[in-house]
Amino acid sequence: MKVTLNVSTQLLIVILIATTLVVAGVSNYLLFQTAFVQETNRLQQLAKSQARLMEAVAEFDERYSVYAYQGDAEEATLFQIKQALDNYDGLGESGELILAKKHESHILFLLNHRHDTHDDHSGHSAIAIGSDKALPMQLALAGESGTIVATDYRGVEVLAAFEPVKKLKYGIVAKIDLNEIYAPFIRSFLISMAIGALVIAAGALCFYRIINPLILRITKSESDLRLILNSAEEGIFGVDLQGECIFVNAACLRMLGYTEPKEFLGKHMHELIHHHHADGRFYDISDCSLMKALEEEQPAVINDEVYWKKDGSSFFTESRIYPMYERNKCCGGVIMFVDITQSKQAEESQRLSASVYNNVQEGILVTDADANIVSVNRAFTLITGYSIEEVIGKNPRLLNSGKQGREFYQQMWDALKQKGLWKGEIWNRNKHGEIYPQWETISVVKAESGRVLNYVAAFSDITPLKVSHERMEFLAHHDPLTGLPNRLLFNARLDLSIQNARRKGRQVAVLMMDLDGFKAVNDTLGHQVGDQLLQQVSSRLSGQVREEDTVTRLGGDEFALVLYDIGNEYNAESVAGNILENIKRTYYLEDEEVHISCSIGVSMFPEHFHTRESLLEAADKAMYAAKHKGKGCVQSFSLLR
């Protein structure tokens, strides 16, 4: 089975090994120091005791030994010492007692060296005083005592205790190789390390077997979480309670113009991206809505605030902040945001469109592909009288007036199918049953595939236009003050009467009339009263004639009449006489009684003339003749011939 340790486990093993090394090393060092001190004390006690013993033996031999009679007491003492100390093995494998004396400028060793194969010590007799070898012995021969780490006669580093034997002028050294002192501790250290390594390896393997699945799950969970964060289209970042960023996803970096998380992490969120309002005003952190939501530890949605990018530009956002809890205590917050600049612009555009849609003076009606109404604007309700609720889902035929037949609507649908557009005048009926004209434009809205989605109709009530047009038509042929036909219409009707009379053998009378005393009314009572007088005269004249006759005001106080199929001149004069009497009746104008008369001239077709111009001229001459006659009378053109 292949075992793979992840970085975390490897690091843990390294830490454990390092810790074991340090603990083992320190422990062995402390033990070594203790053993070293004990060994030093032991060697020192040994050297001192042996030196004192030698002095005691020398003292005894000098006084009592039998050898004193046979030779030098020193030799007797040395003989005993050699017997006692030669091959002394109580100091371990390398330790030994060294006894020497000074001989001229050299050291003379008196005992067999444990590590010397020459019985005569020839290998060591040449060590000079002052040499870097046998330093402990040199110190002892110099009369000093103590312990030291130095090289012995072999040049090997040893721990040595040295002591002078003053009675004999010898020096004694108890020594042991440092390597022998070190050896057990080095072995202990190596064994400890080996055992520790085995324990660590076994522990690491067990730890790996037990903990690694958990680590893998945590690692995968963290990886999945990071994958989710970086896959989100929304910008996401986290902050601590101080507002500093602690994590960030890829979308947040991209939207704010950053490339590396380190540019964002550890920075204060408000100071980094939220420091000014959209209009450039400084945004004080005490007013920061995100920080307030974090302090209140409550989820919040914040709209229409701007975030600032790395390059200094900004965009509108919709932000949502959620508190983060650790051990039931808030430790920060997660902020999710989206760029709503385009939607805000679209919303503004939609708001503007809706405003235009509802404030335009034209009625607008939108249907689906089946011609069922789905939307109308306010102008539609004002023009038709129907509320929005009354027409939604209905067919526009509820507005049909019935004035236009099936052929009209068939032509409309043919145009929509062929051109996608129809415009024209249509008569509709409002909610109150009133029929009115409207100018309408219908457009077809299609999908890219060509499928019909909607029909949009825009229309306006052209009743005022129609009335205005009719008024203009009326004024083109009528007197604006009295409403009587003007000279243009009078001439047309007179021509028509002459044509009909010629074809049917009938007679036509032309009466020219001028008011007597009108100027005095105008001058004394004013033009307003004069206008009222003309209107009443017009009314009286219209009441005196038949439907087929024509009364017109030619201008000022001059009127003209066409009497069709009058029969003869006598009848014409009779009508003129009745008019004369009617005009003379009293007028009541603004609390004033007004009295006027008129002068009338009469000409006849075909007795007098056959053309309009001639007849008018003849009637005009007859009228002036009546005025000259004394006014208030009728004069026929026949009497002027």
Side-chain angles (χ1 to χ4, degrees):
M1 180 181 65
K2 184 178 179 181
V3 178
T4 303
L5 300 179
N6 58 31
V7 175
S8 299
T9 307
Q10 293 173 0
L11 181 60
L12 180 60
I13 292 173
V14 170
I15 292 173
L16 289 174
I17 291 174
T19 303
T20 303
L21 282 171
V22 171
V23 171
V26 171
S27 299
N28 277 276
Y29 175 76
L30 294 174
L31 290 172
F32 170 76
Q33 287 293 104
T34 302
F36 187 83
V37 170
Q38 291 176 349
E39 187 67 20
T40 300
N41 293 335
R42 185 172 75 90
L43 290 175
Q44 193 172 27
Q45 291 298 323
L46 179 61
K48 285 183 177 182
S49 64
Q50 291 299 322
R52 301 293 83 77
L53 181 60
M54 289 179 190
E55 289 180 346
V57 171
E59 182 71 27
F60 178 82
D61 284 344
E62 184 178 357
R63 294 182 180 181
Y64 306 109
S65 176
V66 294
Y67 294 101
Y69 303 102
Q70 298 176 1
D72 191 347
E74 178 184 351
E75 291 182 3
T77 302
L78 182 59
F79 175 77
Q80 294 179 69
I81 292 172
K82 283 184 177 182
Q83 284 186 331
L85 297 182
D86 266 346
N87 300 316
Y88 182 82
D89 58 359
L91 293 173
E93 294 181 0
S94 63
E96 61 181 328
L97 285 172
I98 305 296
L99 187 64
K101 68 179 180 177
K102 185 175 181 182
H103 179 68
E104 296 179 353
S105 62
H106 291 81
I107 298 173
L108 179 63
F109 293 99
L110 303 174
L111 299 176
N112 290 329
H113 291 164
R114 185 175 186 180
H115 305 292
D116 188 5
T117 59
H118 301 86
D119 292 337
D120 58 358
H121 318 300
S122 61
H124 305 287
S125 60
I127 296 176
I129 300 298
S131 171
D132 58 353
K133 293 183 178 181
L135 181 59
M137 184 57 75
Q138 295 182 53
L139 293 172
L141 292 175
E144 297 182 22
S145 63
T147 58
I148 190 173
V149 175
T151 56
D152 65 356
Y153 57 87
R154 300 167 296 159
V156 176
E157 195 171 30
V158 296
L159 172 63
F162 51 91
E163 192 75 25
V165 183
K166 296 179 180 179
K167 184 71 176 175
L168 299 173
K169 296 183 180 180
Y170 291 170
I172 186 168
V173 173
K175 72 176 184 68
I176 187 170
D177 290 358
L178 281 180
N179 287 336
E180 185 175 349
I181 299 175
Y182 289 151
F185 297 101
I186 292 174
R187 284 195 301 272
S188 173
F189 177 76
L190 293 176
I191 292 171
S192 299
M193 284 304 304
I195 295 173
L198 289 174
V199 172
I200 289 171
L205 184 59
C206 293
F207 174 83
Y208 176 78
R209 291 290 183 86
I210 297 172
I211 301 299
N212 191 60
L214 178 60
I215 293 176
L216 289 176
R217 286 197 296 271
I218 294 173
T219 302
K220 187 175 185 307
S221 177
E222 181 182 354
S223 177
D224 291 345
L225 179 59
R226 189 165 297 280
L227 180 62
I228 292 171
L229 281 175
N230 289 328
S231 299
E233 290 296 323
E234 292 179 311
I236 303 173
F237 63 94
V239 295
D240 58 20
L241 291 176
Q242 286 69 47
E244 292 186 356
C245 181
I246 54 178
F247 65 82
V248 61
N249 76 337
C252 176
L253 294 175
R254 183 179 66 253
M255 293 166 70
L256 293 168
Y258 293 91
T259 56
E260 296 290 337
K262 63 183 179 182
E263 297 180 275
F264 207 87
L265 298 178
K267 306 294 176 57
H268 198 285
M269 171 270 302
H270 180 82
E271 296 173 357
L272 186 66
I273 64 172
H274 206 216
H275 41 74
H276 283 79
H277 293 282
D279 57 7
R281 290 180 296 111
F282 178 73
Y283 197 170
D284 193 273
I285 192 171
S286 60
D287 299 325
C288 178
S289 50
L290 292 176
M291 291 301 296
K292 286 182 178 179
L294 189 61
E295 291 171 2
E296 294 171 358
E297 301 181 11
Q298 293 293 327
V301 178
I302 300 166
N303 289 316
D304 295 337
E305 290 200 346
V306 297
Y307 284 176
W308 293 86
K309 296 183 180 181
K310 183 179 179 181
D311 62 7
S313 60
S314 64
F315 59 92
F316 282 94
T317 66
E318 178 186 280
S319 300
R320 298 188 300 279
I321 182 168
Y322 303 95
M324 292 190 302
Y325 292 93
E326 184 177 8
R327 298 175 183 174
N328 296 324
K329 184 178 180 181
C330 183
C331 61
V334 178
I335 298 170
M336 308 171 67
F337 67 91
V338 292
D339 183 347
I340 61 169
T341 302
Q342 290 186 349
S343 61
K344 192 173 180 66
Q345 291 173 348
E347 181 182 341
E348 182 64 21
S349 177
Q350 186 176 8
R351 187 197 64 77
L352 180 61
S353 298
S355 176
V356 172
Y357 181 74
N358 283 313
N359 288 285
V360 71
Q361 296 301 308
E362 287 186 311
I364 298 177
L365 175 151
V366 182
T367 74
D368 58 19
D370 297 324
N372 295 316
I373 299 173
V374 295
S375 176
V376 296
N377 70 343
R378 185 165 54 189
F380 173 93
T381 64
L382 295 175
I383 293 172
T384 66
Y386 288 99
S387 67
I388 295 175
E389 293 76 16
E390 289 176 311
V391 298
I392 294 298
K394 304 292 180 59
N395 191 286
R397 70 171 61 96
L398 87 162
L399 303 173
N400 195 332
S401 66
K403 287 193 67 172
Q404 284 133 329
R406 180 177 298 177
E407 183 179 353
F408 172 83
Y409 290 100
Q410 186 60 51
Q411 291 175 352
M412 175 193 293
W413 281 108
D414 289 343
L416 289 173
K417 291 177 182 178
Q418 295 170 11
K419 302 178 181 179
L421 178 71
W422 177 88
K423 60 176 63 177
E425 183 179 308
I426 187 171
W427 289 83
N428 275 342
R429 187 187 304 274
N430 63 23
K431 182 180 179 180
H432 308 296
E434 300 168 345
I435 297 175
Y436 63 95
Q438 64 183 37
W439 181 262
E440 186 166 352
T441 300
I442 305 175
S443 303
V444 181
V445 180
K446 297 182 179 180
E448 292 183 1
S449 62
R451 181 172 60 90
V452 174
L453 298 177
N454 301 97
Y455 295 97
V456 180
F459 62 89
S460 56
D461 183 354
I462 58 173
T463 300
L465 184 63
K466 282 277 190 183
V467 171
S468 176
H469 184 266
E470 290 173 358
R471 177 64 177 166
M472 291 177 65
E473 284 284 329
F474 180 82
L475 292 177
H477 298 90
H478 293 79
D479 174 48
L481 178 63
T482 63
L484 296 176
N486 59 13
R487 186 183 295 273
L488 182 64
L489 183 57
F490 175 79
N491 289 339
R493 289 187 177 180
L494 178 55
D495 287 340
L496 182 61
S497 296
I498 291 172
Q499 291 175 12
N500 290 335
R502 182 181 289 117
R503 186 173 63 255
K504 296 178 180 181
R506 305 295 172 84
Q507 291 187 327
V508 177
V510 176
L511 280 63
M512 296 292 287
M513 186 184 83
D514 188 73
L515 298 180
D516 301 325
F518 177 76
K519 185 176 182 302
V521 174
N522 245 355
D523 292 343
T524 56
L525 300 179
H527 291 284
Q528 183 175 351
V529 174
D531 289 343
Q532 293 176 12
L533 177 59
L534 290 174
Q535 290 171 344
Q536 289 196 20
V537 168
S538 299
S539 178
R540 292 183 183 185
L541 287 174
S542 298
Q544 290 289 110
V545 298
R546 300 163 301 174
E547 186 177 350
E548 62 267 27
D549 298 332
T550 298
V551 179
T552 185
R553 180 187 175 212
L554 297 177
D557 60 350
E558 188 176 359
F559 295 84
L561 291 84
V562 176
L563 307 178
Y564 176 72
D565 192 15
I566 192 63
N568 51 51
E569 187 175 0
Y570 174 78
N571 291 340
E573 290 178 351
S574 176
V575 171
N578 291 334
I579 290 173
L580 188 67
E581 293 301 321
N582 196 10
I583 294 299
K584 287 181 180 180
R585 287 189 296 112
T586 303
Y587 298 88
Y588 298 95
L589 305 173
E590 295 189 0
D591 299 329
E592 294 285 344
E593 291 186 7
V594 176
H595 298 274
I596 59 171
S597 63
C598 64
S599 299
I600 302 174
V602 180
S603 65
M604 298 292 295
F605 171 87
E607 284 86 349
H608 298 148
F609 296 101
H610 295 81
T611 64
R612 168 171 52 84
E613 292 81 1
S614 300
L615 288 170
L616 288 173
E617 185 178 351
D620 193 56
K621 287 181 179 180
M623 179 192 69
Y624 278 104
K627 278 187 171 294
H628 284 231
K629 205 178 201 181
K631 301 180 181 179
C633 63
V634 178
Q635 178 68 52
S636 174
F637 182 75
S638 298
L639 300 176
L640 300 180
R641 292 183 173 181

